[in-house]
């Protein structure tokens, strides 16, 4: 398992959550979602959501052994994005 996949999931989730929490325009949020998928798709599959990762593990299209690492990276990315957004908005 390459560390680049976990970093990719972290960054993809970070981008998605940062766009969702920072911007209220649905077009901008969709652009952030597309950016996250585009940047991470080649490295980790572009899950950027624990629900997608779990669903793919249950259907057998994703190895269950990688599930904890992916979910941990996604949660860490989301928490980091929320923290960053709060720091920027309430400086």
């Amino acid at each position: 398992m390459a560390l680049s996949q976990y970093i990719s999931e972290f960054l993809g989730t970070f981008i998605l959550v940062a766009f969702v929490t920072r911007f209220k325009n649905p077009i901008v949020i969709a652009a952030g979602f597309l950016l996250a998928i585009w940047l991470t798709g080649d490295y980790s599959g572009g899950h950027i959501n624990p629900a997608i990762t779990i669903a793919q593990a249950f259907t057998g299209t994703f190895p269950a052994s990688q599930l904890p690492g992916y979910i941990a990276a996604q949660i860490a990315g989301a928490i980091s994005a929320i923290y960053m957004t709060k720091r920027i908005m309430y400086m």
Side-chain angles (χ1 to χ4, degrees), residues 47 51-65 67:
H47 297 183
I52 301 298
T53 307
I54 291 168
Q56 287 191 346
F58 278 128
T59 61
T61 58
F62 182 75
S65 62
L67 195 62

Side-chain angles (χ1 to χ4, degrees), residues 50-91:
I52 301 298
T53 307
I54 291 168
Q56 287 191 346
F58 278 128
T59 61
T61 58
F62 182 75
S65 62
Q66 295 178 4
L67 195 62
Y70 265 59
I71 291 175
Q74 292 161 350
I75 290 172
I79 290 170
S80 298
I82 291 169
Y83 179 76
M84 181 214 57
T85 303
K86 282 184 74 173
R87 295 290 294 174
I88 288 172
M89 292 178 75
Y90 301 110
M91 287 181 78

Side-chain angles (χ1 to χ4, degrees), residues 2-87:
L3 184 61
S4 64
Q5 291 176 314
Y6 295 131
I7 293 170
S8 176
E9 284 298 311
F10 175 90
L11 292 175
T13 306
F14 182 93
I15 291 167
L16 176 62
V17 173
F19 270 72
V20 168
T21 56
R22 182 67 178 105
F23 303 105
K24 304 301 181 217
N25 184 335
I27 302 298
V28 175
I29 292 172
F33 182 67
L34 291 172
L35 176 67
I37 296 287
W38 180 66
L39 290 175
T40 64
D42 288 341
Y43 298 102
S44 66
H47 297 183
I48 66 172
N49 183 339
I52 301 298
T53 307
I54 291 168
Q56 287 191 346
F58 278 128
T59 61
T61 58
F62 182 75
S65 62
Q66 295 178 4
L67 195 62
Y70 265 59
I71 291 175
Q74 292 161 350
I75 290 172
I79 290 170
S80 298
I82 291 169
Y83 179 76
M84 181 214 57
T85 303
K86 282 184 74 173
R87 295 290 294 174

